[in-house]
Amino acid sequence: MALQIEEITELFHAQGAAQYGGEAINQQQHALQCAHLAEQAGASPELVAAALLHDLGHLLAPKSSSPSGAVDDVHQYVAIPFLRGLFPAAVIEPIRLHVDAKRYLCQADPGYWASLSPASRHSLELQGGPFSGDAAACFIAQAFATDAVALRRWDDLAKNPAAAPPGWAHYVTVLARARCVAPAPV
Ligand SMILES: [Fe+2]
């Protein structure tokens, strides 16, 4: 069931021009910008790959589900079965946790909610709203939660129509570095 890197590339080529939620950019622009911000911050190849693929679920979710619509498409979970076996937990877990990281930041960072775009505030409500203090503490104690929080901040910034990140070909090499490596035969 796992996709191959070539199939992920085809998916972005075929559907990456779709609008990213209610923002003024498309899915591929958002993915490339998010990965570029991660790269500029010195993130590992695994976390750059997670930044690139964090919204892959939007491209895989049924077309009737929209982040700007009336229902949550649970896109953070939709992509996971297609990535297991291709990428390690260091890629998959930040993707799985990036929506909860928004809910966490609303609790942990007093200025965070006000910084969100209207579309992101709308999806936040569909996704369950801000975490309580206890839920935030439970969230951040999980493995890879701090990576998910970092991804979330890049995600929130990666909505600039004028940005010019490197193209998809550059990030294919990052995906190749981040993928699971079979253990050497003994
Ligand atoms: Fe995103």
Side-chain angles (χ1 to χ4, degrees):
M1 192 164 188
L3 293 168
Q4 297 302 308
I5 291 173
E6 295 76 15
E7 293 169 317
I8 294 171
T9 296
E10 288 172 14
L11 200 53
F12 272 90
H13 283 169
Q15 300 190 42
Q19 186 184 12
Y20 173 67
E23 313 290 349
I25 58 171
N26 66 35
Q27 293 284 349
Q28 179 158 309
Q29 289 170 321
H30 176 63
L32 294 172
Q33 279 185 46
C34 196
H36 192 213
L37 288 165
E39 215 171 17
Q40 288 177 313
S44 66
E46 290 80 6
L47 191 49
V48 175
L52 185 73
L53 301 179
H54 74 278
D55 282 335
L56 182 68
H58 283 318
L59 305 186
L60 295 165
K63 291 293 175 289
S64 58
S65 298
S66 164
S68 61
V71 295
D72 177 16
D73 67 358
V74 292
H75 70 283
Q76 71 273 31
Y77 304 125
V78 169
I80 301 307
F82 298 94
L83 298 177
R84 283 203 175 111
L86 179 59
F87 293 110
V91 176
I92 288 174
E93 288 300 286
I95 294 173
R96 185 177 71 83
L97 296 172
H98 83 275
V99 169
D100 281 353
K102 178 166 63 167
R103 303 178 69 192
Y104 164 80
L105 281 166
C106 287
Q107 169 64 224
D109 179 346
Y112 180 74
W113 184 89
S115 74
L116 294 175
S117 68
S120 196
R121 288 181 199 168
H122 174 69
S123 61
L124 172 69
E125 293 311 311
L126 297 176
Q127 291 156 347
F131 274 151
S132 66
D134 284 349
C138 187
F139 167 80
I140 203 64
Q142 296 176 92
F144 300 105
T146 55
D147 282 349
V149 170
L151 194 166
R152 184 76 236 176
R153 292 198 184 273
W154 300 320
D155 185 4
D156 295 328
L157 293 172
K159 300 173 181 179
N160 178 5
W168 187 265
H170 170 73
Y171 290 106
V172 166
T173 64
V174 177
L175 293 178
R177 289 175 64 199
R179 68 184 300 171
C180 292
V181 177
V186 290

